[in-house]
Amino acid sequence: MSSAMEALYSGNKDEHPEPIKAEVRGQLPTWLQGILLRNGPGMHTIGDSKYNHWFDGLALLHSFTFKNGEVYYRSKYLRSDTYNCNVEANRIVVSEFGTMAYPDPCKNIFAKAFCYLSHTIPEFTDNCLINILKAGDDFYATSETNFIRKINPQTLETLDKVDYNKYVAVNVTTSHPHYDSAGNVFNMGTSIVDKGRTKYVLFKIPSSVPEQEKKKSCFKHLEVVCSIPSRSLLHPSYYHSFGLTENYIIFVEQPFRLDIVKMATAYIRGVTWASCLAFNKDDKTWFHFVDRKTKKEVSTKFYTDAMVFFHHVNAYEEDGHIIFDIISYTDNSLYDMFYLKNLNKDFEENTKLTAIPTCKRFVVPLQFDKDAGVGSNLVTLPSTATAVKEKDGIYCQPEILCEGIELPRINYDYNGKKHKYVFATELQWSPIPTKVLF
Ligand SMILES: CC1=C(/C=C/C(C)=C/C=C/C(C)=C/C=O)C(C)(C)CCC1
Ligand SMILES: [Fe+2]
């Protein structure tokens, strides 16, 4: 196990920009053609400096090209400004999620202020290591900051740097966008203390732009679908994904929050972005549903108990209810587990999750008897999930579907529709997935 641990989480990975022919055991179906793109951290040491957290590592892009029963593999580091500055300085000079660094040689890029509250915060990283986004015909490496990087899906070369902030006021975004059947992208981000407000912004990037436009850019045609005010100006929720059904966008405002005052002073205090996240177990978790046609939020207040979650599984509508599945935790120990100092041979002692991932299903009635009495359960579908009418809103409790799964996937053709199967990794108390389940 400890060697699996080391192979998974440490050591700088080599890049293989030229295609390597894979050895295929068995046979691949002939219909399987195309390129599978993957992203993730590949380098955690630069010169004498080391990142603290696995989510900090420099983005390494991977591709698997499937053609006529053969597979070719390539990999290439994303040449982000972050990568280039770090390599040039031969040390970490750009801050990441779990590592605070101080710019020096590349001051011009990263010394620009994050300008509300303070002028000392460097610009966020463009080390886009988490996911790949398809916007129009283009592919982008993404993270959770306002920067994404266009890439060439064939050669894995790094192209333009796109700043979401130029098109929509967001400082952080999710790396789990949704797509509709026409290929339009839906994503959301948080606009922090902009014009005296902090809000969550849902936006759409169209898949195509008018023919006559010379330099085609989907981002120029980005549309704000709706913004939801944060319950707190200085403590907006952190979120890693959101849900989509045929008619609604689902946003879960959890009491796992960014502390903006801490963020604004993190740089001068020498603490990390990660330390600006906090869970308040005594608060509620609020559900928001935005009608995709009217672009208005459903006005009923829906809430549940405090929780921390990262991944939506899927969501759909049935008989006037919205049903959505998420993988949730009773505390925020998950991100803490990925500090590299813990991910060594003693990981079994060091990395114990104190909360097990639990797949929960919420069943939320949008149409219900307005005269129902306080205390009555408004769910009319066969489920152990409840939605109890209270004086100030509707209190939802989930049905527990199962425990010990993470990284959920569904057949995306069923996104927003009732699904049968979920593909996930089994995750118990340690961060090494041991099985693929479905
Ligand atoms: C740099 C940076 C951030 C980075 C977050 C990252 C990199 C999160 C990765 C999450 C993953 C990989 C989750 C998997 O389930 C924040 C906190 C948004 C805020 C400010 C700057
Ligand atoms: Fe994720």
Side-chain angles (χ1 to χ4, degrees), residues 167-288:
Y167 309 98
V168 55
V170 291
N171 307 96
V172 291
T173 60
T174 90
S175 208
H176 284 293
H178 278 292
Y179 301 89
D180 65 13
S181 53
N184 299 304
V185 180
F186 292 88
N187 201 358
M188 59 181 295
T190 306
S191 170
I192 301 170
V193 200
D194 178 45
K195 302 189 183 91
R197 286 173 214 279
T198 296
K199 58 191 181 188
Y200 310 103
V201 186
L202 291 155
F203 58 89
K204 176 179 168 182
I205 309 164
S207 59
S208 58
V209 297
E211 246 344 289
Q212 63 269 28
E213 304 233 347
K214 280 201 204 94
K215 195 174 177 286
K216 285 193 183 182
S217 163
C218 308
F219 296 97
K220 286 202 184 102
H221 296 269
L222 185 149
E223 257 174 70
V224 170
V225 177
C226 180
S227 17
I228 300 171
S230 167
R231 295 189 69 81
S232 152
L233 178 72
L234 296 174
H235 299 86
S237 281
Y238 170 80
Y239 49 97
H240 180 72
S241 64
F242 63 101
L244 193 72
T245 68
E246 282 181 3
N247 297 296
Y248 296 93
I249 299 172
I250 303 167
F251 169 57
V252 177
E253 193 177 16
Q254 58 185 346
F256 180 39
R257 302 192 180 95
L258 290 169
D259 183 321
I260 304 309
V261 174
K262 280 194 177 164
M263 281 178 86
T265 55
Y267 187 67
I268 45 173
R269 292 182 299 126
V271 302
T272 64
W273 304 131
S275 77
C276 305
L277 277 167
F279 175 51
N280 192 332
K281 63 174 180 23
D282 301 318
D283 277 358
K284 291 186 172 88
T285 299
W286 298 88
F287 298 156
H288 301 273

Side-chain angles (χ1 to χ4, degrees), residues 55 95-97 124-125 129-130 143-145 172 238 240 258 263 273 277 310-311 334-335 407:
F55 297 172
S95 301
E96 301 291 340
F97 173 74
F124 283 150
T125 180
L129 81 156
I130 307 183
S143 176
E144 295 190 358
T145 70
V172 291
Y238 170 80
H240 180 72
L258 290 169
M263 281 178 86
W273 304 131
L277 277 167
F310 305 96
H311 293 117
L334 184 76
Y335 279 8
L407 310 179

